[in-house]
Amino acid sequence: MESLRMIENWPVPTAAAVVVRADGTVAGAHGPQEHRFALASVTKPLAAYAALLAVEEGAVELDEPAGPDGATVRHLLAHTSGLAFDEDRVMAAPGTRRIYSNAGFEALGEHLTKATDIPFPQYLKEAVLDPLGM
């Protein structure tokens, strides 16, 4: 596919793409598929989905305390817990400022681990990734 070759012009050291049909067969691929790419912020929707499944199962509630003092699961999900971007440091009172926060999602994973007695990576795998075939 010509469109897949366009990734050669992206200003990144390594890029790969695969187009997968609904039946799971590969329609086209380009770049090093064996290369391991860090998913970074792409994982946040998956972690959020796991948290919402925990809410649905009754393991946690959106408005229960989690993270820094005064914050809740809802604050962590909405990046309004007040935690800094990439460190366990409070920069604002919960609910007063939206700060895109990796630390907030780490706190969310720790909270879910305590609430479910299942390590968060295992919970994520069993609740989200396995059912989605990931």
Side-chain angles (χ1 to χ4, degrees):
M1 297 179 136
E2 181 63 31
S3 59
L4 287 174
R5 280 194 281 283
M6 293 176 69
I7 68 171
E8 292 173 4
N9 298 320
W10 289 358
V12 295
T14 308
V18 177
V19 177
V20 180
R21 294 183 186 95
D23 66 3
T25 60
V26 174
H30 191 77
Q33 276 80 63
E34 71 285 350
H35 184 84
R36 292 184 66 117
F37 292 92
L39 292 177
S41 291
V42 174
T43 63
K44 286 183 179 67
L46 299 171
Y49 185 52
L52 294 175
L53 288 172
V55 169
E56 183 177 71
E57 293 171 348
V60 298
E61 294 181 13
L62 288 173
D63 294 319
E64 73 185 40
D69 285 343
T72 64
V73 169
R74 184 184 310 271
H75 288 128
L76 293 170
L77 285 167
H79 295 285
T80 60
S81 70
L83 283 172
F85 168 70
D86 217 10
E87 59 183 314
D88 190 19
R89 180 173 56 90
V90 176
M91 296 180 60
T96 62
R97 183 174 165 202
R98 192 172 309 275
I99 302 167
Y100 186 79
S101 177
N102 292 333
F105 268 71
E106 290 172 11
L108 179 64
E110 292 167 8
H111 184 76
L112 290 173
T113 294
K114 290 175 187 168
T116 63
D117 284 329
I118 302 170
F120 183 69
Q122 180 183 341
Y123 188 87
L124 177 68
K125 182 180 182 314
E126 292 174 6
V128 178
L129 302 178
D130 286 349
L132 292 175
M134 297 175 76

